[in-house]
Amino acid sequence: MVLSHRPRVPRNEVLSEAELEELAQRKPPSKTSVRGSSAAKSLLFRFLPILRWLPRYPVKDWLLGDIASGFSVGIMHLPQGLAYALLAGLPPVTGLYSSFYPVFLYFFFGTSRHNSVGPFAVISVMIGSVTESLLPSENFLVSVDGSNTTIIDEKARDAARVDLVATITILSGIFQVALGLLQFGFVVTYLSDPLVRGYTTAASVHVLISQLKNVFGVSLGEYSGPLSLFKTFIEICKKLPQTNVGTLVTSIIAMVAIFIVKELNHKFSSKLPMPIPIELITIIISTGISYGVNLKSKFGISVVGDIPSGLKPPTLPSTTYFGQVVGNAFAIAIVGYAICISLGKIFALKHGYKVDSNQELIALGLCNFLGGFFQCFAISCSMSRSLVQEGTGGNSQVAGVISSLVILVTILKIGELFRDLPKMIWIVTFVATLLLNLDIGLGASVAFALLTVIFRTQLPHYSLLGRVPDTEVYKDVAEYQKVKEVPGVKIFRSSSTLYFANVEMYAEALKKKSGINVDRLIEKKKKALKKLKKHHMVKPCLPPSLQDMEAECNGPGIAVIELSGEENSAPAEPTLHSLGLPQPDFHAVILDFSSLNFVDTVSIKIMKNIFRDFHEIEVDVFVASCPASVLAQLERGNFFSSTITKQCFFPSVHDAVLHISGEQHTASVRTCPGCPHCRHGEGQPSRPLPSSQSPQAHRSTKL
């Protein structure tokens, strides 16, 4: 055992907080100032994102893709809008309105380039439950010619329901705008992945059961409240002998056709320029057959009926329902936003841009608030449409405005042609789409999640640490004047533990504190590698005759010499320097885990992404002060792998700094033992710590 003594600190070796403040000279609280003109400009660009991205829109690269994507999504909007209006208990034309006005408004206020906003199944189901409970069809029974026979006055019922839903939609919009202005975009983080999947599956069952009456062609009573699903299912079973055979056969044929084409679209997705619009094809064919054969009169098959053409002027909703639907409106606002921001973040992460969660709240709120005056119902984002928008070449919100124009043409000129469309075709189209999108998550237990987390963990303090001179103590560099960062090393700490509700903010704060745009640099690297791959084509092997011809072309006396390394050596991996890209001014990141007391599956996944992203820009990541219980949870969560090992974990921040500085001093090219993640010196010059800042002089004991 070799002992190496470190020099004594001028004061006690263990410092109290008072002594530490005196030695490090703690800074007084900083005062923030706001500049009027710059703040107003920043505010305008924040609330109108189109002012930021439209002037820089690459017309040559993106326009054709956006146009093709917009037409594809517009074709999907037509059947889905009709079907989701039926789920909400509204006239079908309101589905077309909801596919036009909100989509057009999102073009100006939205920040996601790939989200396809508009009607969504689960939101329609939530609205439908309100319309059926407050305005059931029984309230609109009228007698026929003074006899005892009664029928439902559908026109009066639909008008009342449209007025009710407009109230819900406007209230939902008000809630969303207010939450966005109050910076409450973090609310969605309480809808964690382990909790959000049950709601969608349950909603799928509700949708399927509630629409079986249209598939079998039977009439049912309307049920609401607890156990309403089971009551509906029991009544359907009792009325199966009354099934309309024509309706059932048409449903089965349409269902088989849609599912077969959906499978073909999935199987040949790489070869097809765009998915076959089987929903639209089914609607057109079934409408033509219904009109030509007169299915309504011959077989009693229910059809859509009149679809008015043209746009309606804005109308004010009734205020009589405000008190009755305020709770439902708030729930719809939160669930709709949760779907939209979840999908937006997925696409943003994939394509290397950011989605502003608070601005998304404001954008959805304005879409709902203004749409409510034009007979729209509350909207969200559709997974199926968004995937089509991305897969068919959509690059920006321009694709959304193109799809809204497709719906506008339908409303003005084509909509009335679908008056003979059988209603069960809507349901088959909806079910086919629904079953292919069950991976979308909603909040299964929102109230429970809100009660089981602590609000203050949502607003932790993030800091970069530096070393107090002549000590092994590391403190926030923003709070102490004499605390300096270790050169080439970023030491990052959060005051809160990490879990599903704040781990994404942790990753964003880390990248922001690092001082470089990590995602942008990775995107540039990918583009550079792609260009490098195109330009460095492998020279094909030539037959002997062509080799002789090539030698002759080289001329006499000219020797072609090929220089190479070892015969089986792998080519060097391109670095940021060799690709001509800027290099970070640091080579290592230390994550201080001393504040963690547990981790979950979501935080483990994001931590892996942090290691991967910084590895891409040639920065090593180390972890310090990780509690034993957290280390055990990381092991159970399969955090460690061939690229992330325990060799990158250290018992304290100082030990991690000593390791990094030791690696930099001993060799210019060296990897962390047993840790393939570390890439010290891969094609880059070493960056040793200056002797004045090097903690090597303070190593305590070495066995």
Side-chain angles (χ1 to χ4, degrees):
M1 178 170 61
V2 180
L3 297 177
S4 59
H5 299 282
R6 61 185 176 187
R8 287 285 181 179
V9 181
R11 295 179 178 269
N12 296 333
E13 185 171 349
V14 178
L15 301 176
S16 67
E17 191 65 31
E19 293 170 332
L20 179 64
E21 290 186 3
E22 180 182 354
L23 179 62
Q25 298 183 11
R26 187 171 185 175
K27 298 177 183 178
S30 59
K31 297 182 180 180
T32 58
S33 60
V34 179
R35 297 179 180 178
S37 59
S38 60
K41 182 179 179 181
S42 175
L43 197 64
L44 179 63
F45 275 74
R46 178 187 169 190
F47 289 131
L48 279 173
I50 188 175
L51 299 178
R52 183 183 295 110
W53 64 263
L54 189 59
R56 297 180 292 177
Y57 181 79
V59 177
K60 293 182 179 179
D61 297 332
W62 286 7
L63 185 58
L64 289 179
D66 282 336
I67 292 175
S69 175
F71 275 106
S72 301
V73 175
I75 289 172
M76 291 187 67
H77 264 297
L78 177 58
Q80 289 189 359
L82 298 174
Y84 297 158
L86 176 64
L87 291 178
L90 299 171
V93 72
T94 59
L96 299 181
Y97 295 154
S98 302
S99 298
F100 168 63
Y101 289 106
V103 179
F104 186 76
L105 290 170
Y106 188 82
F107 170 73
F108 297 95
F109 301 102
T111 61
S112 174
R113 303 202 311 240
H114 297 90
N115 272 3
S116 175
V117 298
F120 182 65
V122 176
I123 301 298
S124 296
V125 172
M126 297 175 72
I127 294 174
S129 65
V130 180
T131 58
E132 291 179 358
S133 61
L134 295 182
L135 296 173
S137 298
E138 289 78 6
N139 292 1
F140 300 91
L141 294 175
V142 293
S143 59
V144 180
D145 297 330
S147 62
N148 293 330
T149 304
T150 58
I151 60 172
I152 298 174
D153 188 350
E154 295 184 357
K155 184 175 292 187
R157 181 198 63 184
D158 291 345
R161 287 184 173 182
V162 167
D163 191 35
L164 170 64
V165 172
T167 302
I168 298 173
T169 303
I170 290 175
L171 278 178
S172 297
I174 292 174
F175 281 127
Q176 289 172 332
V177 171
L179 290 174
L181 293 175
L182 294 174
Q183 305 292 299
F184 268 71
F186 68 86
V187 171
V188 71
T189 58
Y190 290 95
L191 306 174
S192 65
D193 286 341
L195 295 176
V196 298
R197 301 193 180 274
Y199 190 94
T200 301
T201 305
S204 304
V205 176
H206 272 273
V207 171
L208 186 61
I209 297 300
S210 64
Q211 298 306 313
L212 284 177
K213 61 182 180 182
N214 294 311
V215 175
F216 290 100
V218 296
S219 58
L220 304 176
E222 294 177 347
Y223 301 98
S224 60
L227 303 179
S228 60
L229 176 70
F230 300 99
K231 296 176 182 177
T232 302
F233 184 72
I234 292 173
E235 187 174 358
I236 289 174
C237 294
K238 291 180 178 179
K239 292 191 174 182
L240 282 179
Q242 304 175 18
T243 298
N244 186 312
V245 178
T247 301
L248 181 60
V249 171
T250 308
S251 301
I252 294 175
I253 294 174
M255 187 178 296
V256 171
I258 288 176
F259 273 101
I260 290 176
V261 177
K262 286 282 186 181
E263 289 298 319
L264 292 176
N265 281 338
H266 178 71
K267 186 175 182 179
F268 299 102
S269 58
S270 59
K271 299 180 180 179
L272 293 172
M274 63 173 286
I276 301 173
I278 183 59
E279 297 92 347
L280 182 63
I281 294 173
T282 304
I283 287 177
I284 294 173
I285 294 176
S286 59
T287 301
I289 294 175
S290 176
Y291 177 77
V293 182
N294 198 1
L295 296 178
K296 181 178 181 181
S297 60
K298 290 186 177 181
F299 300 99
I301 295 178
S302 178
V303 297
V304 169
D306 292 330
I307 298 180
S309 60
L311 299 175
K312 297 287 185 180
T315 57
L316 292 175
S318 173
T319 58
T320 56
Y321 298 112
F322 271 46
Q324 296 174 279
V325 300
V326 62
N328 303 95
F330 183 78
I332 290 171
I334 295 298
V335 173
Y337 169 66
I339 302 165
C340 195
I341 194 63
S342 299
L343 291 177
K345 286 186 175 181
I346 291 173
F347 291 118
L349 181 63
K350 181 177 179 180
H351 294 276
Y353 64 93
K354 289 187 177 181
V355 173
D356 188 338
S357 58
N358 292 308
Q359 179 58 28
E360 284 297 295
L361 257 177
I362 295 173
L364 279 181
L366 290 174
C367 291
N368 283 326
F369 177 76
L370 297 176
F373 294 100
F374 293 92
Q375 299 186 6
C376 299
F377 53 86
I379 55 97
S380 182
C381 179
S382 167
M383 179 70 163
S384 59
R385 293 196 307 268
S386 299
L387 287 175
V388 170
Q389 180 166 321
E390 182 206 27
T392 53
N395 296 292
S396 71
Q397 294 91 323
V398 173
V401 79
I402 296 295
S403 67
S404 69
L405 295 179
V406 173
I407 297 300
L408 177 61
V409 174
T410 303
I411 294 173
L412 296 177
K413 298 296 182 182
I414 307 175
E416 59 186 10
L417 300 179
F418 295 105
R419 58 175 309 204
D420 293 306
L421 173 65
K423 284 187 177 180
M424 96 296 279
I425 298 296
W426 295 1
I427 308 307
V428 173
T429 302
F430 163 72
V431 171
T433 304
L434 178 67
L435 295 179
L436 295 175
N437 291 283
L438 284 179
D439 55 338
I440 303 174
L442 295 179
S445 303
V446 178
F448 177 78
L450 290 173
L451 293 175
T452 56
V453 294
I454 302 174
F455 179 79
R456 66 186 60 182
T457 63
Q458 196 62 49
L459 301 171
H461 175 66
Y462 301 111
S463 55
L464 287 178
L465 306 184
R467 188 166 63 88
V468 178
D470 300 322
T471 70
E472 298 177 3
V473 179
Y474 293 81
K475 285 291 183 179
D476 189 349
V477 296
E479 294 186 2
Y480 299 91
Q481 293 180 354
K482 290 194 174 182
V483 169
K484 303 297 181 184
E485 291 186 56
V486 179
V489 180
K490 297 289 184 181
I491 307 172
F492 182 76
R493 184 180 186 274
S494 169
S495 62
S496 172
T497 191
L498 296 181
Y499 66 113
F500 67 86
N502 64 6
V503 67
E504 289 187 358
M505 292 189 297
Y506 178 91
E508 293 176 2
L510 170 60
K511 294 177 180 178
K512 184 177 180 180
K513 289 282 188 180
S514 68
I516 60 173
N517 193 330
V518 178
D519 298 329
R520 179 63 176 165
L521 186 55
I522 293 175
E523 183 180 1
K524 288 183 177 180
K525 182 179 179 182
K526 290 180 179 179
K527 291 181 179 179
L529 289 174
K530 188 176 180 180
K531 291 181 180 179
L532 187 66
K533 186 177 180 182
K534 290 181 179 180
H535 287 83
H536 288 71
M537 303 298 294
V538 180
K539 182 179 180 181
C541 296
L542 299 176
S545 59
L546 293 180
Q547 290 179 5
D548 295 338
M549 185 182 300
E550 185 181 17
E552 293 177 3
C553 294
N554 289 331
I558 298 177
V560 180
I561 302 174
E562 294 183 1
L563 299 177
S564 62
E566 296 180 8
E567 184 177 356
N568 296 326
S569 63
E573 181 182 356
T575 63
L576 294 175
H577 180 72
S578 65
L579 293 172
L581 298 175
Q583 297 174 266
D585 59 354
F586 58 96
H587 54 81
V589 170
I590 299 175
L591 305 178
D592 183 0
F593 275 14
S594 58
S595 62
L596 271 65
N597 49 40
F598 74 94
V599 291
D600 58 9
T601 56
V602 179
S603 57
I604 290 176
K605 178 181 178 181
I606 300 299
M607 288 304 303
K608 288 182 178 179
N609 292 342
I610 291 174
F611 272 74
R612 179 200 64 199
D613 290 346
F614 279 94
H615 177 73
E616 284 292 324
I617 62 171
E618 302 167 4
V619 174
D620 300 329
V621 180
F622 300 88
V623 175
S625 305
C626 182
S629 59
V630 175
L631 193 64
Q633 291 174 346
L634 292 174
E635 292 174 342
R636 291 194 296 268
N638 298 321
F639 175 77
F640 297 104
S641 63
S642 59
T643 57
I644 306 176
T645 72
K646 291 183 181 178
Q647 297 293 335
C648 299
F649 280 59
F650 295 90
S652 69
V653 172
H654 190 66
D655 288 327
V657 174
L658 288 175
H659 170 79
I660 296 170
S661 61
E663 290 291 305
Q664 292 295 316
H665 278 292
T666 54
S668 61
V669 180
R670 180 180 176 186
T671 57
C672 181
C675 183
H677 166 73
C678 298
R679 295 163 42 116
H680 292 300
E682 286 189 5
Q684 299 184 46
S686 61
R687 288 170 281 189
L689 300 176
S691 57
S692 62
Q693 290 292 331
S694 174
Q696 288 284 359
H698 306 294
R699 188 184 299 273
S700 57
T701 304
K702 182 177 181 181
L703 297 180

